[in-house]
């Protein structure tokens, strides 16, 4: 951890006290990540495995993490606002992702699917919160200014997995698609027309 928030007995609480506590912890972790891993994208875990015990046309990407450069807060973080300083964040895939692979429809053709990952930093957990009502402390407002509208309650940092289909081609001429902007390629999965199972031999880890 880097900086720490100081609060005092009797002092009125501020939103920035809580927000800065979270932000300072994020910054401490990010600079530790950078010292150990550098600034290039790194992944850990995220193993690709066929369906077990009987293989089919699904592949599971296991729990894991991605470490990637990303703005500290590209969207305003409450009263702290926007901070576009790039840091090394950790995005987590907390539950396995199951991908469905569809073989090409043309006889004699094969196709490569790219499994790609990206760090996703988005707000979530919308709730209608209770707000202080100075006119009647026993009857808090529902939402800002008693509007009934919801607020995000969590800024999540996850590892998002996406499947990108390559162009079907004559078997032997199929090509692996390139990752989309911001993504890093993890695996190339090759399937042929009429195929009904994907085993480990059809899954290749990318460098």
């Amino acid at each position: 951890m880097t900086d720490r928030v100081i609060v005092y007995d009797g002092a009125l609480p501020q939103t920035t006290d809580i927000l800065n506590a979270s932000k300072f912890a994020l910054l401490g972790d990010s600079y530790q990540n950078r010292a150990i891993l550098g600034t290039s994208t790194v992944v850990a875990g995220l193993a690709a495995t066929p369906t077990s015990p009987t293989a089919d046309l699904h592949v599971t990407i296991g729990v894991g993490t991605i470490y990637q450069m990303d703005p500290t807060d590209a969207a305003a973080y409450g009263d702290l606002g926007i901070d576009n300083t790039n840091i090394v964040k950790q995005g987590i895939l907390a539950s396995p992702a199951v991908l469905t692979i569809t073989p090409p429809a043309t006889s004699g053709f094969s196709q490569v699917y790219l499994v790609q990952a990206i760090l996703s930093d988005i707000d979530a957990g919308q709730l209608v919160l209770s707000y202080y009502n100075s006119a009647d402390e026993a009857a808090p407002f529902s939402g800002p200014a008693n509007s009934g509208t919801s607020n995000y309650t969590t800024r999540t940092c996850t590892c998002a997995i996406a499947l990108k289909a390559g162009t079907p081609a004559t078997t032997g001429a199929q090509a692996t698609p390139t990752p989309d902007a911001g993504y890093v390629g993890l695996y190339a999965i090759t399937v042929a027309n009429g195929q009904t199972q994907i085993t480990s031999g059809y899954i290749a880890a990318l460098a």
Side-chain angles (χ1 to χ4, degrees), residues 43 45-49 59 61 112-115 176 184-190 199-207:
V43 298
L46 305 178
T49 56
V59 172
I61 306 300
V112 181
Y113 285 83
L114 175 72
V115 180
T176 302
V184 60
L186 302 180
Y187 302 97
I189 302 172
T190 304
T199 57
S200 57
Y202 296 98
I203 304 170
L206 300 180

Side-chain angles (χ1 to χ4, degrees), residues 11-90:
L12 294 176
Q14 304 292 316
T15 58
T16 53
D17 295 336
I18 298 173
L19 293 173
N20 270 321
S22 294
K23 183 173 181 178
F24 293 160
L26 170 68
L27 293 175
D29 288 344
S30 71
Y31 281 98
Q32 178 175 270
N33 294 339
R34 181 171 181 151
I36 297 170
L37 302 173
T39 57
S40 298
T41 299
V42 176
V43 298
L46 305 178
T49 56
T51 302
S52 178
T54 303
D56 56 19
L57 292 174
H58 296 90
V59 172
T60 299
I61 306 300
V63 171
T65 53
I66 184 170
Y67 299 87
Q68 195 167 39
M69 293 290 287
D70 194 62
T72 303
D73 286 303
Y77 184 48
D79 290 337
L80 296 183
I82 292 173
D83 184 347
N84 283 317
T85 305
N86 281 323
I87 59 175
V88 182
K89 290 182 181 176
Q90 174 184 257

Side-chain angles (χ1 to χ4, degrees), residues 121-164:
D121 198 13
I122 59 173
D123 292 347
Q126 282 186 294
L127 291 173
V128 178
L129 303 175
S130 296
Y131 279 75
Y132 178 68
N133 178 2
S134 60
D136 185 355
E137 296 181 2
F141 287 154
S142 179
N146 212 25
S147 62
T149 58
S150 61
N151 297 105
Y152 293 111
T153 59
T154 306
R155 179 151 292 179
T156 65
C157 195
T158 63
C159 175
I161 301 296
L163 189 64
K164 184 177 182 180

